[in-house]
Amino acid sequence: MEKREKIYEGKAKIVYSTDDPDLIIQYFKDDTTAFNAAKRGTVINKGIINNKISAKVFEFLSSEGIPTQYEQRLSDREMLIKRVEIVPVEVIVRNKAAGSFCRILGFEEGMELASHVLEFCYKRDDLNDPLINEYHIRALNLASEEEVETMKRYTIKINELMSTFLANLNLELIDFKLEFGRYKGEIILADEISPDTCRLWEVGTGEKFDKDRFRHDMGDIEEAYQEVLSRVEK
Ligand code: 5GP
């Protein structure tokens, strides 16, 4: 397998083609953005850490029967993945109130929820990834009804699997964002799962081990991400 030309550069990753039309290489950068790129920065080694965490999580989810884009980790910053057509809908799960849920609805961070919440956002940077519902997805032809059902089913399962997996590492999965892609007619899990895409709080103390440390200038970002990696690798 040979690395070819750059196809796309995003906020945190660069994507390269390979000599296999079904496979691409995802390169993890140290660049970090928040609040839809209004805040920018660099977290030393973040790309290496997120590549390793994401690889471990995708390997775990694959072993539990979730189809994913992940093929293998190639190096510190590179991951070989299936070339998918990304569904332009982000799927968010919330197990406790945090982030935009608190901002929009006026609840306090950390509030217990009677059940988990599943949200959809339209993947549009120029619009700040606005919150949408299943009617919008249907009306705008963003995904078929069957695809939405599949994404919901996988998301609920992933929440159960990851909540348990992380609880065993003394981390509480507060919320997270997933992306899905179309591959040979099927919906599969795509993108990355890392402290950039999840809120992870230490069980007991509530200490934050995720991107909120960057968003809110809390310091020790690399240390927090590294701590997640060392627990995931145990
Ligand atoms: P919120 O809507 O509260 O900002 O985000 C909810 C969860 O989804 C958080 O764990 C957050 O990190 C993740 N999330 C939502 N949108 C994005 C996004 O565009 N990029 C990344 N990396 N994570 C996101």
Side-chain angles (χ1 to χ4, degrees):
M1 200 273 314
E2 193 183 293
K3 186 171 167 184
R4 295 256 166 98
E5 74 276 12
K6 188 199 274 195
I7 308 174
Y8 165 79
E9 178 157 2
K11 286 176 278 188
K13 295 189 284 285
I14 306 173
V15 175
Y16 298 90
S17 63
T18 70
D19 54 355
D20 183 334
D22 286 335
L23 297 175
I24 55 177
I25 292 172
Q26 178 165 258
Y27 175 97
F28 287 73
K29 304 193 283 184
D30 287 345
D31 298 351
T32 304
T33 62
F35 310 117
N36 204 37
K39 183 179 168 96
R40 290 174 181 274
T42 302
V43 177
I44 305 294
N45 294 328
K46 185 197 74 146
I48 298 173
I49 300 170
N50 278 358
N51 187 25
K52 291 181 177 174
I53 293 174
S54 202
K56 284 278 175 197
V57 173
F58 273 77
E59 280 163 17
F60 164 66
L61 294 174
S62 298
S63 76
E64 295 288 340
I66 305 287
T68 82
Q69 182 184 31
Y70 176 78
E71 288 286 312
Q72 66 179 110
R73 190 163 68 78
L74 297 173
S75 66
D76 270 0
R77 291 181 183 272
E78 289 174 322
M79 182 187 277
L80 186 65
I81 57 174
K82 297 180 187 80
R83 185 175 202 147
V84 299
E85 179 196 350
I86 290 285
V87 177
V89 173
E90 296 180 344
V91 188
I92 290 172
V93 180
R94 300 182 187 276
N95 295 309
K96 266 190 182 171
S100 67
F101 185 88
C102 297
R103 210 165 47 243
I104 294 170
L105 297 173
F107 293 112
E108 212 159 290
E109 184 179 77
M111 190 187 74
E112 297 281 347
L113 303 172
S115 66
H116 59 246
V117 172
L118 202 145
E119 294 174 354
F120 299 106
C121 292
Y122 183 23
K123 210 173 134 52
R124 277 279 300 266
D125 279 345
D126 57 331
L127 300 175
N128 287 349
D129 298 340
L131 197 58
I132 55 173
N133 64 32
E134 289 183 45
Y135 284 87
H136 296 89
I137 296 177
R138 208 171 305 141
L140 300 171
N141 272 322
L142 303 180
S144 71
E145 218 136 312
E146 194 189 341
E147 287 175 332
V148 172
E149 287 311 312
T150 304
M151 292 192 290
K152 281 163 55 179
R153 185 160 46 83
Y154 287 156
T155 300
I156 300 300
K157 184 74 185 156
I158 291 166
N159 187 39
E160 287 169 10
L161 290 167
M162 280 186 34
S163 293
T164 308
F165 175 76
L166 291 161
N168 286 329
L169 309 177
N170 214 41
L171 291 170
E172 185 176 4
L173 181 59
I174 302 299
D175 58 30
F176 61 100
K177 181 262 305 179
L178 298 177
E179 295 189 23
F180 291 91
R182 301 182 178 100
Y183 183 74
K184 303 190 184 215
E186 300 292 331
I187 286 288
I188 65 175
L189 180 65
D191 197 46
E192 69 174 286
I193 298 182
S194 72
D196 270 3
T197 65
C198 302
R199 283 194 175 89
L200 303 168
W201 296 358
E202 178 91 332
V203 174
T205 67
E207 188 181 348
K208 294 180 166 129
F209 285 90
D210 55 60
K211 194 171 170 180
D212 272 352
R213 301 199 75 85
F214 170 74
R215 293 187 185 102
H216 305 302
D217 298 317
M218 298 168 73
D220 295 334
I221 310 167
E222 185 193 345
E223 290 76 6
Y225 280 46
Q226 186 61 55
E227 177 60 24
V228 174
L229 175 60
S230 57
R231 293 190 195 188
V232 165
E233 279 182 334
K234 255 185 209 150

